[in-house]
Each structure stands twice: as C-alpha cells, then as structure tokens.
Amino acid sequence: MTDARTPDSSRRSARSRRAIHDAALALVDEVGYSRTTIEGIAARAGVGKQTIYRWWPSKAAVLMEAFLDLAQQASAEAAGAEGAEGAGGSPSGGGGGAIPDTGDLAADLRRVLRATVDEMNSPVYDGPARALAAEGIVDARVGAEFVEKLLEPQLRLYADRLRAAEAAGDLRPGLDPRIALELFVGPLTHRWLLRTLPLTHDYADAIVDYAVNGLAPRP
Amino acid sequence: MTDARTPDSSRRSARSRRAIHDAALALVDEVGYSRTTIEGIAARAGVGKQTIYRWWPSKAAVLMEAFLDLAQQASAEAAGAEGAEGAGGSPSGGGGGAIPDTGDLAADLRRVLRATVDEMNSPVYDGPARALAAEGIVDARVGAEFVEKLLEPQLRLYADRLRAAEAAGDLRPGLDPRIALELFVGPLTHRWLLRTLPLTHDYADAIVDYAVNGLAPRP
C-alpha cells in the first residue's frame, strides 16, 4: 500500500493527535481515569470516535501516548527554563536522552533531580500524572503498562549513568545500579505523590548528598 | 452525664466497631474509596447508619480508624510471626512503639524494613492501603488526613531512631533525620505502590546498606 496522505492531511493529522492528547489529559485530570471515556475524549477534541479508534486500540493507549507527549514537552520547557545550560532536563522526558556524564556523579544527579522536581511541581503535569498513578496503584494492569511504557524507560537512564559511574570507580564495588537508582527516585516520588513536605531544589540536593555519601560518618 | 453502659453493652460496642472497620476495609478494597458510602458500610456491617454517625463524623474518619486498627493487627501478627524475637515489627503498627535501638543502626533498620515489606506484601493490608493511598493522591484533602493521621506518626519513629543514632555519633554531622528517613521509606513505598520489582527482605537489606554506607566508595 502507498501512503496517499498529502502534506496537508498529515498536518491535519498532527493537529488532531495533539487535540486528542490534550483532551485526554484534561479529562483524566478533571474526572479521573475510570470516568474518562473514548467518547468523552472525542467530544472534547472535536473529532469522531472512529478517528481515535483508528489510531489507538484503547483508552489506556491514548493516555499513555498523551502522557509521553506531555512529559516530553515538560522536559523541553524545563530545559528551556534552564537557559544556556540547556541539555539535560528530567528523564521523564521519555525519548529525551541520557543523564549527562560530566564525570561528577553528584553534580549530574543534582541537575536531573532538580529538573524532576520542577516537572513534578508543574501544574500541567501534576494533575494528569496523579490521575494515572492513582489508577495504576489500584489497577494492576494499568499499573504494569504505566511502569513498562513510562517509568522503566526513565529508570534505565539512571541505571545507565550509574553504570558509567561504576566503570569510573565512583561506586562502591558490588552495588546493583537498578537498586541504587531507587534511593533517588523513591524519595522524590514519595514526597510528590503523598505531599508530605515541599519538593524543592534543596531537597533534591540533600537526597543526592545523603545517597551518594551515605548516612554513616566517613573517616 | 454518667456512662450508663454495662460491661455487656461495651462488649457489644467493641464488636460493632470491629464489624464496621472490617466492612469499611472490605468495601474500599472492592469498590474503591469514592464508591464506598456510610450506607454501604452500615449494610455490610449489619448495623444502622445512625450507629456509624454516632461514632464517626465522616466516611474518611471511619476509614482512617479502621486502617489504624488494621495496621496494628498486621504489626502484631508480624511481631508474632517473628516468634521469640517478638518486639519491633513495622512502624505502621501505629501506636505500636518505637524502632528498637540495639546500638546497631543498620541492624535495627533492616529489622524494621523487613517487617514493613511483610506488611506491604500481606493481602489483608495491600488492598485497602492501595485504595486509600490512591484516593489521597488525587484528593489533596484525603491525602492530608492520611499523611497526618497515619503516615507522619510512623515517620516520627524513624526520625527518633535516627536522632538517637546522631547522638551516638552514627550519623554524618549536619544531616536532617526527617530527610534521611526518606531514603528508607521512599524506595519501599515506590516499589510497593508502583509494583516495579519484587519487595523482598533482600531488597530491604540492600536499601539499608546503600543508604547507610552510601553509593560512593569508602576509603
């Protein structure tokens, strides 16, 4: 089959996709995951239900893609807000690339955790991300898809950076990078989801210091 | 006013309270927080709605108390399962007492984190705790009550143990115990809520080692 789409129709498709993403995220934020429907998304996006079913097999699939799109935007914005520093940003930016390796593990982690804090504090991200996380917590199938498609790709970026640190002799021998990364993402996610105390850059810096240097005195 | 209740009627009250707690937890596990109602709890517990309203001002209040009761039971069971070792268990046992101080911070933390893992893996705890956590994540008011009544009292036990460690010279100077404790509860909660990888005793032990000794090599 040949692709009969003209440049104009692809532009229309891109616009429709973006409208569908925006509608899905707004709805899940307002009414929660379980009351968000394909019908509701279609009505809000001003497209037919068939348009959605042509591109996505399920509500979960629309939401995962919308969310990935959102995280990429948030990450790009956070990188933009950093000004000249530019590169980096939060790993939840999906395809958004590796954690920088300047040779200074703590500095690189501070930078990525600060960007993650900014993203978690961003209102456009917070509502839909909470709705999706809450549904994954009670519905194991949604949770598994959320973890596989959205979370694990981010965690792999931490594991990669920690493996580079290991190769450079910056990790205690025998540590498992897949466990070590949880000392960073665990505390930040805990504060964000449970809203125990403010999520700030100072907090991100403290977590990096505590985890890298440990709680026990160093000789 | 004098309390006219006889021993028989207090026994009946205790039985009714327990039936109401059980009904509330079963319902929230089955249908979720938002679809759990005082009417539904009353019907399932076999009591009148008025009985519930006499003791609790709201659905949230019944659930918080039911949950505290459940956590105490789970903690007592975990302590029982430990056999002769007895004392200790998970701090989510509410009133359930302090984290032991044997003078060995890592050993004390391993013990409490293993008990927490057992509790998180217990089916009787898992369902209602997920339902309550998920609601708190999307509803800030429920979340604040959950944190104040259930979570912070547990976290204070960690902070107390870490302050004792500080006094004993077992913490790097200048660390904030309220932040340090998040290196333990953050990763465990992350694995539990998001179901990324299995929550095991080995994992609890690794988290304690990584956090206490740090990721960077020690001279």
Side-chain angles (χ1 to χ4, degrees), chain B residues 63-88:
Chain B
L63 274 166
M64 294 291 158
E65 194 181 297
F67 202 78
L68 213 54
D69 183 20
L70 175 70
Q72 271 158 356
Q73 291 173 58
S75 175
E77 268 164 39
E82 275 182 58
E85 277 188 272

Side-chain angles (χ1 to χ4, degrees), chain B residues 158-178:
Chain B
Y158 283 94
D160 291 346
R161 180 65 187 86
L162 289 169
R163 253 177 237 113
E166 189 175 35
D170 294 337
L171 283 196
R172 274 196 294 136
L175 297 190
D176 178 346
R178 181 59 188 76

Side-chain angles (χ1 to χ4, degrees), chain B residues 16-28 33 36-45 47-71 73 128 132 142 145 149-150:
Chain B
S16 296
R17 267 180 190 271
R18 173 54 57 88
I20 291 163
H21 287 175
D22 290 349
L25 293 170
L27 263 184
V28 84
Y33 185 94
T36 295
T37 60
I38 295 276
E39 287 75 10
I41 297 170
R44 187 160 184 146
V47 303
K49 248 169 55 171
Q50 289 318 313
T51 304
I52 298 186
Y53 281 120
R54 197 181 317 136
W55 287 329
W56 295 279
S58 66
K59 167 176 94 175
V62 186
L63 274 166
M64 294 291 158
E65 194 181 297
F67 202 78
L68 213 54
D69 183 20
L70 175 70
Q73 291 173 58
L132 204 54
V142 171
E145 198 164 348
K149 302 242 171 81
L150 298 175

Side-chain angles (χ1 to χ4, degrees), chain A residues 10-214:
Chain A
S10 343
R11 216 173 301 131
R12 268 200 307 276
S13 289
R15 253 201 322 265
S16 297
R17 266 179 191 271
R18 173 53 58 88
I20 292 164
H21 287 175
D22 289 348
L25 294 170
L27 263 183
V28 83
D29 183 17
E30 285 167 23
V31 305
Y33 185 94
S34 62
R35 286 193 286 166
T36 295
T37 59
I38 295 276
E39 287 75 8
I41 297 170
R44 186 158 184 146
V47 303
K49 252 170 51 171
Q50 289 319 314
T51 304
I52 299 188
Y53 281 121
R54 197 182 316 137
W55 286 330
W56 296 281
S58 67
K59 166 175 93 173
V62 185
L63 274 164
M64 294 291 158
E65 195 183 297
F67 202 78
L68 213 55
D69 183 17
L70 175 70
Q72 271 159 354
Q73 289 173 60
S75 174
E77 269 165 41
E82 274 182 61
E85 277 189 89
S90 146
S92 51
I99 295 177
D101 184 353
T102 66
D104 180 340
L105 177 63
D108 294 345
L109 287 169
R110 275 196 300 274
R111 180 172 183 169
V112 76
L113 261 61
R114 284 172 169 222
T116 302
V117 160
D118 291 343
E119 186 176 285
M120 287 171 165
N121 285 329
S122 129
V124 70
Y125 172 92
D126 181 72
R130 284 184 180 279
L132 204 55
E135 184 68 15
I137 284 166
V138 290
D139 181 331
R141 231 168 35 129
V142 172
E145 198 164 349
F146 173 82
V147 166
E148 183 201 332
K149 303 243 170 81
L150 297 176
L151 187 60
E152 285 294 342
Q154 302 166 24
L155 299 187
R156 271 195 288 277
L157 303 179
Y158 283 93
D160 289 347
R161 179 64 187 84
L162 290 169
R163 252 176 238 113
E166 189 175 35
D170 295 336
L171 284 196
R172 275 197 293 136
L175 297 190
D176 178 345
R178 181 58 189 76
I179 295 177
L181 66 88
E182 297 185 51
L183 292 187
F184 305 106
V185 298
L188 263 69
T189 306
H190 192 264
R191 274 208 183 190
W192 171 58
L193 284 179
L194 306 181
R195 290 181 264 236
T196 47
L197 288 172
L199 255 180
T200 62
H201 284 190
D202 283 350
Y203 176 69
D205 291 355
I207 290 296
V208 171
D209 170 42
Y210 290 24
V212 169
N213 296 307

Side-chain angles (χ1 to χ4, degrees), chain B residues 3-141:
Chain B
D3 189 341
R5 288 187 301 172
T6 63
D8 256 15
S9 76
S10 349
R11 216 173 300 128
R12 269 201 305 277
S13 289
R15 250 202 322 265
S16 296
R17 267 180 190 271
R18 173 54 57 88
I20 291 163
H21 287 175
D22 290 349
L25 293 170
L27 263 184
V28 84
D29 184 17
E30 285 167 23
V31 304
Y33 185 94
S34 61
R35 285 193 286 166
T36 295
T37 60
I38 295 276
E39 287 75 10
I41 297 170
R44 187 160 184 146
V47 303
K49 248 169 55 171
Q50 289 318 313
T51 304
I52 298 186
Y53 281 120
R54 197 181 317 136
W55 287 329
W56 295 279
S58 66
K59 167 176 94 175
V62 186
L63 274 166
M64 294 291 158
E65 194 181 297
F67 202 78
L68 213 54
D69 183 20
L70 175 70
Q72 271 158 356
Q73 291 173 58
S75 175
E77 268 164 39
E82 275 182 58
E85 277 188 272
S90 146
S92 52
I99 295 177
D101 184 354
T102 66
D104 181 340
L105 177 64
D108 295 344
L109 287 169
R110 275 196 299 274
R111 181 170 182 172
V112 76
L113 260 61
R114 283 172 171 222
T116 302
V117 160
D118 291 344
E119 188 177 284
M120 287 170 164
N121 285 330
S122 129
V124 70
Y125 172 93
D126 181 72
R130 281 182 183 281
L132 204 54
E135 185 66 15
I137 285 165
V138 289
D139 181 331
R141 230 167 38 127

